[in-house]
Amino acid sequence: RSTVYVYLNTLESEGYVKKSGTTYHLGTRFLTLGCVARDRMNVYRAAKRRIEEVASRTGELVSLGIEDAGQRVVLYRAEGANAVHDRAPTGEYTHMHWSSLGKALLASLPDERVEAIIDEHGLPRATEKTITDRERLLESLDAIADRGYAIEDEEREPGIRSIATAIVCDGETRAAIAIAGPKHRFTPAYIEGTLSQHLRKAVNVAELRYKHY
C-alpha cells in the first residue's frame, strides 16, 4: 500500500489523478496523451474532415473507430444539427459485435482474426437484439462483406440504429466510419439510400487521402 501511495502522489503532482477526500480520480492530463496518440494516426487525419462533412450534411452523429485488442474503439465523433447522442464517448471500448462500426471492421478482417476475437471476448449480450450466436454472426459478416456496409438495429442500445463501412487501404483494414441515429428516423430506405451514399463517398475520400500519409 505504501508503494501504491507513492505512485498516486506522483501521478497527482503531475496532474494525472485528482484526489477528492480519500478517493482518487483520473485527471484531465490523460486527455493530452490520448489526443497525441490519436493525432499520430494517419487514418484519423485522413478521415476527420470527411466525418465532419457527413455530420453537417446529414445532421446525424458520425463516428470513426478502430479495432484494438479485439474490441471497437471510438476515435472521433462529430454531431450534426439533429444528432441524437447515443452515450458512447470518444475512447470507449466495446465488443465488436454490438455495433455497426464493430461489425464493419469484423467483416473486413481475415477469418482467423475474427475467430480469435470471438474466442477471446465471446459474444455477450447488450440488448435483446444482440447477435450472440457464432454461426449467425459469421453469416451476417458475410452479408456485410457482400453488401459493403454493416447495419446495427438496436443491438447495442435500444432505440438506436446505425450504418458503417470499413476504411481499407493496401489490403488492410484501417478503421470504419459509422452514422447513428434514432430508430424512427433511420428507416431502411434512409439507411440504404441517403446514408449509405454519404458513407461510401466519405470512405472513398478517406482511403485516397490515407495513401498520401
Side-chain angles (χ1 to χ4, degrees):
R1 293 181 64 180
S2 61
T3 302
V4 172
Y5 182 73
V6 171
Y7 288 158
L8 284 172
N9 276 344
T10 301
L11 290 170
E12 183 182 13
S13 68
E14 296 297 325
Y16 288 102
V17 299
K18 300 292 183 180
K19 187 177 182 181
S20 177
T22 59
T23 303
Y24 290 90
H25 303 277
L26 292 177
T28 54
R29 189 169 289 275
F30 276 109
L31 285 172
T32 301
L33 298 180
C35 288
V36 169
R38 183 184 64 181
D39 291 348
R40 293 179 62 185
M41 295 182 180
N42 291 342
V43 72
Y44 166 72
R45 290 185 285 166
K48 180 177 182 291
R49 186 172 297 178
R50 309 286 81 72
I51 289 170
E52 294 169 348
E53 289 175 352
V54 173
S56 177
R57 291 172 181 172
T58 64
E60 308 294 356
L61 175 66
V62 186
S63 304
L64 174 71
I66 61 170
E67 179 263 323
D68 182 45
Q71 292 191 301
R72 173 281 251 150
V73 189
V74 176
L75 287 184
Y76 183 67
R77 316 202 88 177
E79 295 186 4
N82 301 315
V84 175
H85 188 58
D86 66 353
R87 297 184 295 177
T90 300
E92 180 192 58
Y93 279 70
T94 63
H95 291 282
M96 300 280 280
H97 67 291
W98 285 1
S99 66
S100 65
L101 203 157
K103 289 191 293 182
L105 291 167
L106 282 175
S108 63
L109 293 175
D111 292 344
E112 59 271 19
R113 178 60 182 149
V114 174
E115 294 285 357
I117 289 173
I118 296 175
D119 289 340
E120 180 179 358
H121 296 282
L123 297 173
R125 186 182 301 278
T127 72
E128 293 182 355
K129 291 193 174 183
T130 306
I131 298 176
T132 57
D133 178 78
R134 180 187 292 254
E135 292 306 316
R136 185 183 166 202
L137 177 62
L138 295 177
E139 290 176 359
S140 72
L141 297 182
D142 287 338
I144 291 167
D146 291 339
R147 185 172 58 226
Y149 57 85
I151 295 176
E152 169 194 339
D153 186 7
E154 301 183 279
E155 294 158 62
R156 183 177 58 83
E157 184 175 346
I160 298 295
R161 282 178 174 164
S162 67
I163 174 176
T165 298
I167 298 173
V168 181
C169 298
D170 300 324
E172 292 189 23
T173 301
R174 308 296 179 175
I177 298 176
I179 309 174
K183 177 181 178 180
H184 69 84
R185 190 160 68 234
F186 275 52
T187 62
Y190 182 45
I191 290 175
E192 297 164 15
T194 302
L195 295 182
S196 68
Q197 292 178 19
H198 280 294
L199 194 59
R200 187 66 257 170
K201 289 178 182 178
V203 167
N204 285 343
V205 175
E207 289 174 344
L208 288 173
R209 287 182 59 84
Y210 183 90
K211 295 179 180 179
H212 294 291
Y213 289 106

